[in-house]
Amino acid sequence: MDRPIKPNYRRRQLGRTLRKLREAAGLSQEEAGTPLRFSTSKMSRIEQGYIPGYNDFLALLDRYGIISSDYDEYVRMFDYAKEKGWWHAFGLSDRGFVSVEAEASWIKTYGLGFIPGLLQTEAYMRETFAGARDPLDGPRLENRVQVRLRRQHRLTEERPLELHAIVDETALLRNPCDAAQLRQLIERSHLPNVRLQVIPQKVGSHDGLYSNFIIAGFPERSEPDLAYLEYGFGSLQIEKEAEVSAARLTFEHLADLALDDGDSRALVERMIT
């Protein structure tokens, strides 16, 4: 049986807002819900990010003492929470990493065998997808490419994603990493919100040789960071704090091993022929 899909970030944000309004009104979940005929379990689900009906939502605002002239801010948040992310148009659900990345404020990513997706050229994407164990072609390939290109918009939006990317030098030496891809790495590294570091081959053995991984953080401090691990036959989203903390420490260790920003850019520039 499939596990229930956890509410996405924007829905959890709405739930947190309703919890804060309830607490500011000095009410327990039971005290807030009983006059509205809401069970405690329903109140709990709402505050965890499961969206109530619109009339139930307005009833909660009224219960928490919000006057109708101040509803607009909360209604906009309600509408935003119900809105489907752009990835749904490409057949993706809220379960995968794309929805996480779309709401994150910063990403730390380490690439062992591949250039991180947010920094790839379209040609690099196409060759990578075509070279997979289950090669993509036709509509499946086009869909995957368009999703990845759309993800890259986060780097140049009005509130851009902060990206810190560490790449092992071996990924820069392996096809399909060509001169165009190297030039794009340099170009993106000049963005004020992008930091690129390269771990040179001379470093030898290090903890990053096990796999690619990503750590994501969010605008709300109450929203915990999470890690995302990619391996040869799948991927895993990690939410346990101890494991996310271990991922942070590993990333910091790899950053210490890597060349600094300027030397990393210089290494990439020397590789362009």
Side-chain angles (χ1 to χ4, degrees), residues 16-29 32 47 64:
R16 281 192 296 269
T17 297
L18 290 172
R19 174 177 55 78
K20 290 175 183 176
L21 290 175
R22 174 180 60 76
E23 292 173 346
L27 300 171
S28 67
Q29 288 184 339
E47 293 184 2
Y64 298 151

Side-chain angles (χ1 to χ4, degrees), residues 113-125:
F114 298 97
I115 305 297
L118 290 172
L119 302 175
Q120 293 176 3
T121 63
E122 182 174 342
Y124 185 101
M125 296 175 201

Side-chain angles (χ1 to χ4, degrees), residues 12-241:
R12 295 196 301 274
Q13 187 178 38
L14 177 66
R16 281 192 296 269
T17 297
L18 290 172
R19 174 177 55 78
K20 290 175 183 176
L21 290 175
R22 174 180 60 76
E23 292 173 346
L27 300 171
S28 67
Q29 288 184 339
E30 182 178 4
E31 291 168 336
T34 297
L36 304 177
R37 303 296 189 268
F38 293 177
S39 66
T40 303
S41 61
K42 177 174 180 176
M43 291 293 298
S44 179
R45 288 195 302 273
I46 290 172
E47 293 184 2
Q48 289 171 20
Y50 293 90
I51 299 181
Y54 183 64
N55 289 332
D56 285 350
F57 174 71
L58 295 182
L60 284 171
L61 294 183
D62 181 66
R63 180 75 178 121
Y64 298 151
I66 307 300
I67 59 176
S68 58
S69 59
D70 292 336
Y71 278 9
D72 287 354
E73 171 189 354
Y74 300 104
V75 169
R76 282 194 296 271
M77 186 177 292
F78 178 86
D79 290 339
Y80 182 63
K82 287 183 68 68
E83 189 178 292
K84 287 187 175 181
W86 61 262
W87 50 91
H88 284 265
F90 294 89
L92 302 178
S93 73
D94 291 332
R95 192 187 294 275
F97 182 74
V98 173
S99 65
V100 171
E101 183 184 77
E103 304 293 351
S105 57
W106 58 261
I107 292 285
K108 298 180 187 294
T109 179
Y110 168 71
L112 170 60
F114 298 97
I115 305 297
L118 290 172
L119 302 175
Q120 293 176 3
T121 63
E122 182 174 342
Y124 185 101
M125 296 175 201
R126 291 182 178 279
E127 289 199 44
T128 300
F129 291 142
R133 176 179 56 83
D134 179 19
L136 298 180
D137 57 17
R140 290 174 64 215
L141 173 61
E142 295 306 317
N143 188 74
R144 190 73 66 87
V145 168
Q146 292 308 311
V147 167
R148 186 158 293 183
L149 290 173
R150 176 61 181 80
R151 287 171 53 201
Q152 294 184 354
H153 291 182
R154 286 296 326 272
L155 297 179
T156 53
E157 289 175 346
E158 183 177 347
R159 295 181 179 178
L161 179 72
E162 296 286 334
L163 174 67
H164 184 178
I166 302 175
V167 183
D168 193 272
E169 184 182 359
T170 56
L172 306 180
L173 298 170
R174 182 180 296 110
N175 287 333
C177 187
D178 56 12
Q181 176 62 76
L182 295 174
R183 281 192 290 270
Q184 176 147 306
L185 282 177
I186 294 171
E187 176 187 330
R188 295 281 169 85
S189 74
H190 284 291
L191 291 173
N193 53 304
V194 174
R195 183 181 181 194
L196 173 67
Q197 289 185 272
V198 178
I199 299 179
Q201 283 188 294
K202 65 182 181 181
V203 167
S205 180
H206 58 79
D207 287 351
L209 296 178
Y210 290 103
S211 68
N212 303 299
F213 67 94
I214 301 169
I215 309 168
F218 302 88
E220 291 248 351
R221 290 186 177 181
S222 55
E223 183 75 13
D225 301 345
L226 59 82
Y228 190 78
L229 179 68
E230 297 179 306
Y231 47 91
F233 47 90
S235 59
L236 179 66
Q237 185 169 303
I238 299 168
E239 300 182 11
K240 290 183 178 179
E241 173 53 33

